[in-house]
Every structure is written in structure tokens, then in C-alpha cells.
Amino acid sequence: MKFVRLAVAAAVMMTPFISHAQFAKPEDAIKYRKAAFTVMASHFGRLGPVVRGERPYNAQEVAANVAIVETMSKLPWAAFGPGTDKGDTRAKPEIWSNEAKFKTASENMVKAVADLSAAAQAGDLDKVKATFGAAGRACKACHDDFRKE
Ligand code: ASC
């Protein structure tokens, strides 16, 4: 019993480190987060023509793209650990000097994408349009503050 409690306590204490420990090197973390953003941008971008009425609304296709965006939206954040501010990255130092603001901005994007996902799953084009706009603004807000040109 005592061992179990100790093991649980150790696991809980380790939790904050697990997210960073999965990358062998800072470059790996930078590559990983950029890859997640690249895939996210590709599938988010495919929604643009539908939302603008340049391409017919196919609810299944939109939902499939949004599902990928939603999965990707959750991934980059664990890859902004210590030491990943230098290298092949446009990440601004403010990510690490103003962590609370960055966290809020990232959570706003994840939330906006979850709203888009609900709209896509409901097959509601008007809601897809509205939540797509909001999600795009959440992307941009974070870029304005935390990404170099
Ligand atoms: C995209 C994309 C982004 C966001 C952002 C929205 O399609 O690649 O980074 O939308 O431009 O303002």
C-alpha cells in the first residue's frame, strides 16, 4: 500500500516534466511544433474556399479537415519547453518571458477550434463560418504577439 502511494506521488510530481521529456533535443521539439502548425494550417486553409462560398459545402469533408485541425491544435504547446527559444524558429522571446499570456493565447485558439469542431460535426455551415472566423482571429492574435515576421 505504502509503495503504491509513493509511486502515485512520484508520478504526480513527474507530470509537469513529461511533456518536455519526450523530445531528445531542443531541435526535435522545434521541428515537432512546426510540423503540427504546418499540418494544422494546411487543413484549416482547406476550409477557406468553402467558407467563402467558392467551393460547395460538403459536411463530411469539412468535419474531416476540422478533426485534423482540432488534433493538431493541442500538440505544439508541449514543444515550447526550455531551450527551444533558439534555433530554426520564429518564436519570440515573449513566449518564455510572458508564459501566462502565451498560455492564455494558446488556450483561446484551442477553445476556438473546439467550437469550430462542434459546428462542423453538427453540419451547420453558418456556425462553421462564424467559428472559422473566430478561430482565424485566435491564430492571428497569437502570431501578432508571439511570432516574428
Ligand atoms: C491560416 C493560417 C494561419 C491562420 C491565420 C489566421 O489559414 O495558415 O496561420 O489561418 O492566418 O489569421
Side-chain angles (χ1 to χ4, degrees):
M1 227 45 242
K2 194 169 178 206
F3 172 77
V4 172
R5 277 206 304 275
L6 274 175
V8 169
V12 169
M13 283 189 312
M14 284 305 291
T15 303
F17 303 104
I18 288 168
S19 57
H20 303 314
Q22 63 197 331
F23 303 107
K25 308 188 290 293
E27 307 92 273
D28 294 348
I30 292 171
K31 261 197 258 178
Y32 174 95
R33 72 197 185 205
K34 287 167 80 171
F37 284 127
T38 298
V39 173
M40 180 162 47
S42 173
H43 289 273
F44 190 71
R46 293 174 209 197
L47 305 172
V50 178
V51 163
R52 291 191 299 271
E54 298 160 9
R55 191 181 158 86
Y57 177 52
N58 178 322
Q60 263 190 337
E61 186 184 275
V62 165
N65 281 316
V66 171
I68 295 168
V69 172
E70 188 173 27
T71 298
M72 292 303 126
S73 73
K74 299 170 190 167
L75 301 183
W77 319 114
F80 284 93
T84 66
D85 54 333
K86 301 271 169 359
D88 187 13
T89 178
R90 286 190 285 165
K92 282 189 184 172
E94 283 78 3
I95 289 170
W96 294 273
S97 64
N98 201 342
E99 268 183 273
K101 191 178 174 192
F102 180 62
K103 188 166 187 284
T104 301
S106 69
E107 286 170 355
N108 287 344
M109 187 279 276
V110 173
K111 173 69 173 58
V113 168
D115 293 344
L116 171 60
S117 176
Q121 278 171 39
D124 185 331
L125 179 58
D126 286 336
K127 278 193 186 142
V128 166
K129 286 181 184 176
T131 52
F132 174 84
R137 287 189 291 278
C139 298
K140 186 175 184 305
C142 206
H143 294 164
D144 287 349
D145 288 337
F146 296 107
R147 189 181 72 173
K148 293 174 199 158
E149 282 310 306

